[in-house]
Structure formats: structure tokens, C-alpha cells
């Protein structure tokens, strides 16, 4: 039992694993933390772990384990009071500041998921008490050792019209149960941070299984035999933080996951075939409320980062006198204040749920996860509309170091910076709004929490509206 991890411990652990991970047609061999696609983002993740050890942040980022007495990460904290919720938010935001809100899978995301599944572990006993016990043991194991996780819960995109029964011979399914555990065969999408985590959690959130072969939940080490991760191409491109300020640091990577008769030992199985648990898991665990609280806390910081970038662009080329620029800035400020409003409102109206956890109010969070995927592309459009050619007049670091460097410093100067510093800012704006990294961020914000169309349907179903209805009924009853 060790408590909070350091960045070095995280890197060493991942390097020691023999995870089967492929990129550009080759299996990665050697230290994954030195591979060009993973180097930057793993260093960023390591910095997050190190922040937990900073003396001045320890009270915020950690708490004492009820089991071992060791310091463990605040994102594992099951909130019992509104103060706990606030502490969780501040901790999440401390990490988000360190990654400019660009790492959707910073460890607090998965830690929050485990916290929820542990709090609601009784749900798993509907199938089998041992499954509930396994869930609690697993949460404790990850918490006490501060291990990192990725997750997959989507069936491959083959023929969506076939709904739950789609791609039976493709989508990962349970093919048998043995004395040692369950055997999984097939594939799943889409594991963000795949290959750079210790473990993978596989579960049926949002999958509407109507066949018990798809009703499973488990977690295994990423180097379990038979497990393969196949990455997209890297958007980190180069090491240079000047050229790719965001991609070189925060490209989290996404991978398809193949299960080739993977044996999941019984102690790691949380669900194996029970369609009732499968259907209750998302709603009854209150997965949504806690994860959305993490997401919105992070996205407040992301929006602050965007607003700061936009204001520096305005000052850089001195365009603040134009009314449409002020109006566009105001759109960004409104987005930021709206997100903060959703977040604080969710905490203010938080209530203890059936698992004894202080649960944020879902109404503002439902609004937030429907709002942000729509406003985020607009924020990126505003960066483009304000920056214009500034997003392509961006020679790279090597150009500035070459003989032409002085000419570039002069000719690309802005109202308040020389060419080198102006291009540094505009390369950031480009990486946010236009590069492969920036486009992936847009796609991420649109889809990572699920299809926006179905999220809107979820809002229609779950939004609490009794007070509005009563207002109208009382009005109608007046005569
Ligand atoms: C950058 C990124 C990172 C991600 N990271 C992860 C991760 O770490 N782990 C993970 O498990 N998943 C991850 N995802 C996957 C994410 O959860 C899915 O993208 C999301 O749930 C939507 O599913 P899909 O991509 O299969 O889209 P599809 O369901 O195939 O949808 C495609 C289109 O068809 C429409 N459509 C399909 N079915 C219906 C229907 N029944 N009703 C109405 N419209 C429908 C959709 O609206 C959409 O327009 C990630 C996705 C992205 C883009």
C-alpha cells in the first residue's frame, strides 16, 4: 500500500508493462514514455501526479485513507458534504489548470468513475454479492496505489441500424465462463489514453445490451494477454512546445481495443450477464451527476484558457476598438459565466442520494453537457474570426533560429510583441482551433460524453420540471 503516486513512479510503472500497443503499423517496443506519440502527454500526466506532493497543495489534492492512513487523491473522495464537493471541484480545477483543460482523461476522470461505482457497489449484488465485493476491492486497490485507467464502453461503428444486436461477431462479447473467469472476444471503441495507463475498465454504460453476452463489466491490467490497443496517428507531431504548444504536451491518443479470448479473472469481474444490473448501472449509480461535475469543473478552466487566449490576441494585434470584436469576446465571457453558473448551481442544490453520497443537482449539469458541445465549436470559430491570417502566418521555431529569424521578428511583430512572441501566441491559437489536435478537441467535446442527440433525449427524460408544471397548474386553477 503506497498512497499517492509520483510522476516518476507513474512513468516507471507504465514503462515496465508489456502492453501490446500499435501505431503506424508497428508494435511499440521499449519505453513507451520515450515514444514520440506518448512522450509529451506522459510527461504532462506525470506532472499532475507530482502536483499531489506539493506541500502547499497537499490539503486540497489528498486526504487520509480510511484503510491505510496513507495520503490518497481527492478525486477518489466519495463526497458526503457540500464542502467535500467543493474540495473535489477545486482539486479537479487545480489539475485542469496544469493541462489547460486539454486532458479529458486526466486521472481525476477515471478516479471519479471508480468512486461512483464503489459508492453504488450494492447495485452489483443484484447479480452476485461477490461482484459487489470485487468492485469495492478494485476501487480500494486503485485508490491505495494511485493507478491510472482508461475505459471503453462503445461497440464498434459497424451498422448502427442493428441497435443492440449489431456486429455480434465483432463487438466484444463474453464467449464463456470458466473456473478462472470470463472470456472476452471481439473489439470495443474508443480508449483515450490507451497504452499510457495501468489498467482498463470495460463496462456497459449507455450500451443498452439486450443480449447477456454484452452485459459485462470488469477491469484488467493493460498488459493482460490477448489485449491489443491500436492507435490513431499521433497529433503530437514534434517535441517543440513552440511549434505545437498543445499537441506536443496533451495529445492523449485514442485507440481501438481488441480482445482475443482475454481471460478476466473472477476477482476482476463486476457484472457477467445480468441484464437488470446492466440496465440500472448508469441511472441508479448516479454516474451522470458525479462525472458531469468533474467534466464541467474541468471545462470551466478550459473556457478560461480560451478566453485568456482570445484577449491576448485582441491586445496583440490591437483590434479591441471594433464593436464586433467586443461582441465576440462577450460571447466567450457569457459561455464561461454560464458554465460557472451550471457548476455552482449543481453544488448549491446538491443532495444526499441513496448511496449516502452528496450528489450534485443533475438539472444544471444536464444543461451543461448539452450546452458545451454546441458552444465549443463557436468558441473555436471566434478564435478564427478574430485571428484571420494570423493563424497561418506562423513560421516555426526553426525559421526563427535560421538566418531569416531577424526578418521574421521584425515583419511579424504585433502591437506589443516581436515576431517571435506574436507567432508563439498565434501558434497556440492555431493549435487550439485548427490543427489536428484542435480538431480532435472539438470532436472530443462533441462526443466524448455520448452522442449529443441522445444526450438531449436524456435531458428530456431526466430533467426535473415539477416546479414549472406546478406554476402553470396553479395559474390555471386561479379562476
Ligand atoms: C475524441 C473522442 C474520444 C473518445 N474517448 C472515449 C473513451 O475514452 N472511451 C470510450 O468508451 N469512448 C470514447 N469515445 C466514444 C464516444 O463515447 C462515442 O463517440 C459516443 O458515445 C458516440 O458514439 P459513436 O461514436 O459510436 O457514434 P454513433 O453512435 O455511431 O453515431 C453516429 C451518428 O449516428 C447517429 N445515431 C446513431 N445511433 C443513433 C440513435 N439510436 N438515435 C439517434 N441517432 C443515432 C448519431 O447521432 C451520430 O450522428 C470517444 C469519442 C471521441 C470522438
Amino acid at each position: 500500500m503506497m498512497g499517492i503516486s509520483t510522476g516518476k513512479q507513474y512513468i516507471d510503472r507504465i514503462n515496465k508493462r508489456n502492453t501490446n500497443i500499435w501505431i503506424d503499423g508497428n508494435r511499440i517496443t521499449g519505453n513507451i514514455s520515450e515514444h514520440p506519440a506518448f512522450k509529451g502527454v506522459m510527461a504532462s500526466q506525470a506532472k499532475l501526479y507530482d502536483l499531489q506532493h506539493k506541500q502547499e497543495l497537499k490539503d486540497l489534492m489528498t486526504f487520509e485513507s480510511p484503510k491505510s492512513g496513507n495520503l490518497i487523491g481527492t478525486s477518489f473522495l466519495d463526497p458526503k458534504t457540500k464542502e467535500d464537493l467543493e474540495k473535489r471541484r477545486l482539486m479537479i480545477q487545480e489539475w485542469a489548470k496544469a493541462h489547460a483543460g486539454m486532458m479529458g482523461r486526466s486521472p481525476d476522470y477515471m478516479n471519479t468513475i471508480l468512486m461512483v461505482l464503489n459508492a453504488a457497489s450494492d447495485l452489483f449484488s443484484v447479480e452476485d454479492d461477490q461482484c459487489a465485493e470485487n468492485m469495492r476491492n478494485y476501487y480500494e486497490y486503485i485508490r491505495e496505489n494511485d493507478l491510472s485507467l482508461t475505459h471503453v464502453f462503445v461497440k464498434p461503428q459497424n451498422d448502427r441500424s442493428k441497435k443492440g444486436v449489431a456486429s455480434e461477431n465483432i463487438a466484444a462479447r463474453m464467449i464463456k465462463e470458466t473456473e478462472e473467469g470470463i472470456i472476452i472476444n471481439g473489439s470495443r471503441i474508443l480508449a483515450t489514453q490507451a497504452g499510457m495507463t495501468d489498467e482498463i475498465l470495460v463496462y456497459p454504460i449507455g450500451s443498452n445490451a439486450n443480449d447477456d453476452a454484452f452485459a459485462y463489466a470488469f477491469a484488467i491490467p493493460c498488459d493482460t494477454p490477448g489485449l491489443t490497443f491500436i492507435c490513431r496517428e499521433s497529433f503530437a507531431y514534434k517535441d517543440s512546445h513552440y511549434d505545437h504548444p498543445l499537441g506536443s504536451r496533451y495529445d492523449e491518443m485514442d485507440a481501438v481495443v481488441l480482445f482475443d479470448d482475454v481471460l478476466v479473472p473472477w476477482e476482476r469481474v463486476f457484472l457477467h450477464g445480468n441484464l437488470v444490473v446492466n440496465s440500472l448501472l448508469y441511472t441508479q449509480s448516479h454516474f451522470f451527476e458525479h462525472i458531469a461535475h468533474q467534466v464541467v469543473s474541468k471545462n470551466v478552466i478550459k473556457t478560461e484558457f480560451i478566453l485568456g487566449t482570445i484577449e491576448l490576441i485582441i491586445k496583440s494585434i490591437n483590434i479591441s476598438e471594433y464593436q464586433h470584436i467586443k461582441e465576440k469576446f462577450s460571447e466567450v465571457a457569457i459561455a464561461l459565466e454560464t458554465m460557472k453558473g451550471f457548476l455552482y448551481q449543481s453544488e448549491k442544490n446538491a443532495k444526499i442520494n441513496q448511496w449516502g453520497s452528496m450528489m450534485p443537482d443533475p438539472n444544471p449539469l444536464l444543461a451543461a453537457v448539452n450546452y458545451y458541445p454546441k458552444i465549443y465549436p463557436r468558441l473555436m470559430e471566434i478564435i478564427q474570426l478574430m485571428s484571420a491570417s494570423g493563424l497561418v502566418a506562423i513560421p516555426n521555431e526553426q525559421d526563427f533560429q535560421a538566418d531569416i529569424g531577424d526578418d521574421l521578428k521584425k515583419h511579424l511583430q504585433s502591437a506589443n510583441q516581436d515576431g517571435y512572441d506574436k507567432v508563439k501566441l498565434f501558434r497556440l491559437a492555431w493549435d487550439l482551433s485548427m490543427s489536428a489536435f484542435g480538431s480532435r478537441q472539438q470532436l472530443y467535446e462533441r462526443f466524448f460524453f455520448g452522442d449529443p442527440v441522445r444526450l438531449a433525449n436524456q435531458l428530456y427524460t431526466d430533467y426535473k420540471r415539477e416546479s414549472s408544471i406546478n406554476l402553470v397548474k396553479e395559474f390555471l386553477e386561479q379562476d
Side-chain angles (χ1 to χ4, degrees):
M1 295 286 179
M2 55 170 271
I4 44 172
S5 189
T6 63
K8 184 173 179 321
Q9 285 165 336
Y10 157 70
I11 299 259
D12 289 347
R13 273 198 328 265
I14 305 298
N15 281 340
K16 270 195 207 121
R17 290 192 181 277
N18 188 24
T19 301
N20 187 6
I21 175 159
W22 290 69
I23 187 165
D24 299 327
N26 297 304
R27 182 174 173 173
I28 297 181
T29 51
N31 287 339
I32 188 164
S33 69
E34 286 160 32
H35 188 280
F38 289 92
K39 198 167 148 182
V41 66
M42 283 186 71
S44 299
Q45 184 117 301
K47 278 188 193 158
L48 300 184
Y49 283 114
D50 282 339
L51 275 184
Q52 301 184 114
H53 294 264
K54 269 199 157 180
Q55 203 47 46
E56 64 274 27
L57 290 177
K58 263 189 177 164
D59 281 351
L60 175 65
M61 312 282 296
T62 65
F63 67 108
E64 211 171 273
S65 161
K67 187 183 169 93
S68 62
N70 288 334
L71 288 182
I72 50 178
T74 299
S75 50
F76 290 105
L77 178 70
D78 180 2
K80 300 293 182 195
T81 62
K82 290 189 181 178
E83 289 70 35
D84 286 349
L85 264 187
E86 185 184 15
K87 180 174 176 177
R88 285 184 52 85
R89 184 227 312 147
L90 292 172
M91 180 272 150
I92 290 161
Q93 294 192 326
E94 199 59 46
W95 265 356
K97 281 183 218 159
H99 59 74
M102 299 294 150
M103 287 176 68
R105 289 292 171 285
S106 54
D108 43 326
Y109 184 83
M110 292 304 302
N111 296 351
T112 301
I113 289 178
L114 288 184
M115 177 279 285
V116 173
L117 295 178
N118 174 65
S121 60
D122 281 354
L123 266 181
F124 296 100
S125 354
V126 172
E127 178 171 38
D128 180 345
D129 282 344
Q130 190 56 49
C131 286
E133 189 59 28
N134 292 348
M135 188 68 245
R136 290 190 282 271
N137 289 341
Y138 185 69
Y139 159 77
E140 240 174 53
Y141 167 68
I142 298 296
R143 183 190 73 179
E144 297 294 324
N145 292 287
D146 211 7
L147 301 184
S148 57
L149 270 86
T150 180
H151 69 161
V152 272
F153 53 87
V154 182
K155 289 178 185 167
Q157 206 178 32
N158 306 126
D159 179 345
R160 288 292 188 241
S161 74
K162 289 186 178 153
K163 306 271 177 333
V165 292
S167 46
E168 264 151 30
N169 296 318
I170 298 177
R173 65 211 178 281
M174 249 182 332
I175 54 168
K176 65 176 166 195
E177 298 191 358
T178 70
E179 264 187 23
E180 292 92 65
I182 59 174
I183 309 287
I184 304 288
N185 195 283
S187 57
R188 280 231 177 182
I189 52 170
L190 180 82
T192 295
Q193 279 214 6
M196 52 177 278
T197 63
D198 297 281
E199 299 255 333
I200 179 168
L201 174 67
V202 186
Y203 55 159
I205 293 292
S207 80
N208 275 336
N210 45 15
D211 175 339
D212 54 14
F214 293 114
Y216 53 78
F218 61 85
I220 45 177
C222 286
D223 52 358
T224 299
L227 195 55
T228 306
F229 297 94
I230 301 161
C231 301
R232 61 162 164 79
E233 87 178 81
S234 167
F235 303 149
Y237 295 115
K238 295 183 204 164
D239 289 348
S240 167
H241 292 337
Y242 185 89
D243 291 353
H244 296 266
L246 300 174
S248 65
R249 293 176 167 103
Y250 309 125
D251 182 28
E252 289 184 288
M253 187 50 75
D254 309 289
V256 172
V257 187
L258 303 185
F259 298 82
D260 183 9
D261 288 350
V262 170
L263 167 69
V264 181
W266 281 118
E267 66 269 19
R268 292 302 195 86
V269 175
F270 316 130
L271 165 67
H272 56 106
N274 188 302
L275 289 170
V276 176
V277 178
N278 188 84
S279 67
L280 294 180
L281 199 54
Y282 184 70
T283 48
Q284 298 291 307
S285 65
H286 297 297
F287 183 96
F288 171 80
E289 289 84 347
H290 290 289
I291 312 307
H293 183 256
Q294 186 278 341
V295 168
V296 179
S297 300
K298 187 257 305 172
N299 279 349
V300 163
I301 302 299
K302 188 171 192 171
T303 315
E304 275 186 358
F305 190 82
I306 293 165
L307 183 131
T309 305
I310 284 174
E311 178 59 7
L312 289 174
I313 289 169
I314 293 173
K315 289 286 180 308
S316 168
I317 53 174
N318 216 353
I319 50 175
S320 62
E321 69 187 278
Y322 307 115
Q323 278 187 342
H324 79 97
I325 297 292
K326 292 180 202 181
E327 199 236 336
K328 289 186 173 79
F329 178 89
S330 75
E331 274 189 63
V332 185
I334 291 166
L336 174 58
E337 294 306 317
T338 304
M339 290 296 281
K340 283 195 214 164
F342 289 143
L343 183 58
Y344 299 144
Q345 180 75 358
S346 78
E347 287 178 21
K348 183 169 173 285
N349 292 343
K351 291 202 171 68
I352 294 285
N353 67 16
Q354 76 259 45
W355 311 113
S357 307
M358 180 57 74
M359 184 180 82
D361 181 0
N363 267 10
L365 296 174
L366 281 164
V369 301
N370 275 277
Y371 169 74
Y372 206 66
K374 293 197 177 76
I375 197 69
Y376 191 80
R378 173 64 181 157
L379 303 182
M380 297 304 108
E381 184 182 37
I382 288 174
I383 293 181
Q384 292 192 11
L385 292 171
M386 285 191 180
S387 309
S389 64
L391 292 180
V392 279
I394 47 172
N396 65 22
E397 197 167 24
Q398 280 173 308
D399 293 310
F400 280 99
Q401 283 160 358
D403 291 346
I404 47 173
D406 285 342
D407 280 342
L408 291 176
K409 274 190 189 155
K410 177 178 164 198
H411 290 281
L412 295 180
Q413 69 182 284
S414 69
N416 59 7
Q417 297 149 308
D418 71 12
Y420 183 83
D421 286 339
K422 188 226 172 190
V423 170
K424 189 177 191 184
L425 171 65
F426 280 75
R427 286 200 77 91
L428 169 63
W430 162 80
D431 218 6
L432 253 176
S433 65
M434 279 184 67
S435 69
F437 175 88
S439 305
R440 187 247 175 222
Q441 286 282 322
Q442 269 198 56
L443 194 74
Y444 181 84
E445 293 302 345
R446 285 188 208 265
F447 280 105
F448 85 96
F449 211 77
D451 169 21
V453 176
R454 279 165 277 173
L455 273 178
N457 286 333
Q458 187 194 339
L459 184 148
Y460 184 78
T461 310
D462 294 344
Y463 189 80
K464 293 193 193 65
R465 61 200 86 177
E466 294 73 23
S467 63
S468 302
I469 295 169
N470 290 340
L471 196 62
V472 179
K473 280 187 176 165
E474 280 163 23
F475 172 82
L476 292 173
E477 279 161 13
Q478 271 177 26
D479 308 69

